[in-house]
């Protein structure tokens, strides 16, 4: 599954879609200090428990590293992922 990204001004999202439309999304807003606050992560119920949400978090971490950003995992799912993956600490705000 291809993870896509779009961003405008201070808002953005990583998402996955198929022929039926959007199946997963991670939304964030970026502040003036280059911190991405992940405020929402959602996977369609029928696609849950396949690691899709975790893949979105991983993609956001890679994006942050590439663009010298930090991440505030406000969303409960994102916070759990950051707590589980100590390798994400370098981008945690």
């Amino acid at each position: 599954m291809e993870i896509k990204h779009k961003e405008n001004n201070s808002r953005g999202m990583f998402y996955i879609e198929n022929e039926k439309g959007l199946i997963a999304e991670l939304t964030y807003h970026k502040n003036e200090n280059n911190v991405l606050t992940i405020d929402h992560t959602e996977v369609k119920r029928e696609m849950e428990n396949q690691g899709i949400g975790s893949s979105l978090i991983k993609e956001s971490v890679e994006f942050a590293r590439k663009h010298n950003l930090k991440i505030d995992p406000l969303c409960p799912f994102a916070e759990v992922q950051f707590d589980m993956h100590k390798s994400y600490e370098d981008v945690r705000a």
Side-chain angles (χ1 to χ4, degrees), residues 19-53:
E19 64 281 349
K20 296 179 183 176
L22 196 65
I23 61 169
E25 67 179 359
L26 175 156
T27 61
Y28 65 84
H29 64 272
K30 182 168 43 173
N31 71 17
E32 63 279 351
N33 297 320
N34 286 330
V35 175
L36 302 182
T37 300
I38 298 175
D39 50 27
H40 179 71
T41 308
E42 182 177 356
V43 177
K44 294 280 187 206
R45 190 164 306 281
E46 63 271 12
M47 301 296 287
E48 287 180 348
N49 300 312
Q50 296 180 37
I52 296 171

Side-chain angles (χ1 to χ4, degrees), residues 7 11-12 22 29 47 53 62 69 71 77:
E7 187 177 63
R11 303 258 337 140
L22 196 65
H29 64 272
M47 301 296 287
E62 291 171 6
L69 304 168
I71 295 177
F77 178 79

Side-chain angles (χ1 to χ4, degrees), residues 4 6 10 19 28-29 35 42 46 54 56 58-62 65 70 77 80 82 85:
K4 298 178 182 178
K6 63 182 173 183
S10 64
E19 64 281 349
Y28 65 84
H29 64 272
V35 175
E42 182 177 356
E46 63 271 12
S54 299
L56 292 174
K58 183 178 178 186
E59 187 74 16
S60 72
V61 168
E62 291 171 6
R65 286 179 178 144
K70 294 291 186 181
F77 178 79
V80 167
F82 269 73
H85 297 277

